[in-house]
Structures are given as structure tokens and as C-alpha cells.
Amino acid sequence: MTTTPGTKTDARTAVLGRIRDALALAPKPDVPVERTYRTGRTLPDAERLELFVDRLVDYKATVVTCTADTTAVTLARVLAERGVRTVGVPVGLDPSWLGAFDGTVREDAADVPAPRLDALDGVVTASAVSCAETGTIFLDGSPGQGRRALSLVPDLHVCVVDLSTVEAGVPEALARLVPERPTTMISGPSATSDIELERVEGVHGPRTLDVVIRTDV
């Protein structure tokens, strides 16, 4: 990069260069990190499910439970109730999940511009891990979950969660994630507060979150 003396770019380059030089000369002692937080907590399936649903509902998400063999019928009903005619899905989502949906299914691709995703009525994804204590769902971009834009741009996100992937607490949930994968954490529909502290939904992501929990998977 060519810089002109006295410009902001030149000053920034000089400052960053000095920081890099200082870091290169600084000693690098090993600093132990104490991790004394609770780990290994477990809850029976029924209690874990009840806690998870309670947190999701508190975050204004809609929750539906089903079994693995009723996944397609349940998703079709959820999408119909939301008036969905065109739904987006990530590459790798089990096609049988939408076998009972009578609308149009569009598979996402990396070269689809994010603004075009706004034309979808909603999106259906799987999930990686969830935390019952915080009501948080983790997506890691694995097949069936897709890229981050797919779960953020459409106004409706229908997320399928297997109860077997719901952990009691945050440490237990994080332990199941691969640190190198891009992680999206979802705790209810996107919401924030305006200057008058009025809740505004759909600002940074989907306005509506429907969670379908498969209790026998």
C-alpha cells in the first residue's frame, strides 16, 4: 500500500507497525487460565425439555414438539399457519422434512446475494447444539444449517432441534461445538429497544422464531 506522509492512512500504518514491533519484542510468558466454572451438569430429558421450552417462550419464540416420524407433518403445519409459500433451506437439510409441504422449496447457495433471501417467506434449518438454561440455539454452518445469512435475512426462521442435542448449561453446550466453525447463537427472535425503550423486533434478524423440538432424537 502506498501512503502519503501526513495522511490518516500513513499515521495508522505507523502506529500499527510500532505495536507489531513492540509485541515481537515483548516476553510471552505462559499465563494459566483458571476454568473453575461448573461443568458436566445433566438433567433428565423431561426436566431439560421443560426448562428449554420455558426459556424459549420467555424470549417470545413459538415452540412445537414432535417425534422424528412426524417431522414432515409438523413442519408443514407450522409453515401453513405462517402463510409460507416459498421456503428456503440450506444445502444438506434432510429433504424428507419438507415432504408434506405443498409450497416451493428453494435450496440456498453461496452465490445467492443476501438481499435476495429477503424474498423468501421463511427458512427451515437444523441446529447443532442448544442450551436449556439460557434458551439458546447454536448453529455452526454444518450441512442442514447453512450460512449465517440464510438464518438472519428471512423474516421467519423455523429451527428444528433434537432433544438429544440440548444440554443443561452453557459450558456443556460449548463443549459440543467445534471452535473453528462459524457459530451463530439464537436466543429468541431478533429484538432490540428503541430510544424510548420500546421493544422492536426483526431489526437484526428474523422477526419470528418457531422452534420444532423432536423429543425422541
Side-chain angles (χ1 to χ4, degrees), residues 38-209:
R38 293 179 299 169
T39 60
R41 287 176 295 166
T42 60
L43 286 173
D45 285 354
E47 292 182 26
R48 205 167 69 255
L49 175 62
E50 181 181 11
L51 178 60
F52 187 45
V53 171
D54 177 76
R55 295 296 189 266
L56 288 170
V57 171
D58 191 52
Y59 287 144
K60 301 186 182 301
T62 300
V63 182
V64 177
T65 59
C66 71
T67 55
D69 60 355
T70 60
T71 303
V73 174
T74 303
L75 285 173
R77 184 178 75 251
V78 170
L79 294 172
E81 290 173 352
R82 294 295 186 186
V84 174
R85 298 306 306 159
T86 302
V87 65
V89 298
V91 176
L93 188 77
D94 187 339
S96 69
W97 287 7
L98 292 172
F101 176 61
D102 62 359
T104 301
V105 179
R106 291 184 181 171
E107 190 174 88
D108 187 37
D111 59 354
V112 175
R116 284 180 54 188
L117 298 174
D118 195 40
L120 298 170
D121 296 324
V123 58
V124 174
T125 75
S127 57
V129 187
S130 295
C131 173
E133 188 174 56
T134 63
T136 304
I137 301 170
F138 297 80
L139 309 184
D140 67 1
S142 297
Q145 298 169 47
R147 55 177 173 154
R148 184 168 293 163
L150 182 63
S151 62
L152 292 179
V153 177
D155 206 39
L156 166 68
H157 181 192
V158 181
C159 188
V160 179
V161 174
D162 293 338
L163 183 58
S164 62
T165 67
V166 179
E167 293 290 344
V170 173
E172 293 78 18
L174 291 176
R176 295 182 61 164
L177 294 170
V178 178
E180 293 78 17
R181 298 196 65 83
T183 302
T184 300
M185 291 176 282
I186 303 169
S187 295
S190 170
T192 187
S193 296
D194 63 15
I195 194 170
E196 296 179 349
L197 300 182
E198 293 291 333
R199 180 183 172 93
V200 180
E201 298 177 349
V203 178
H204 308 296
R207 191 187 315 271
T208 304
L209 173 66

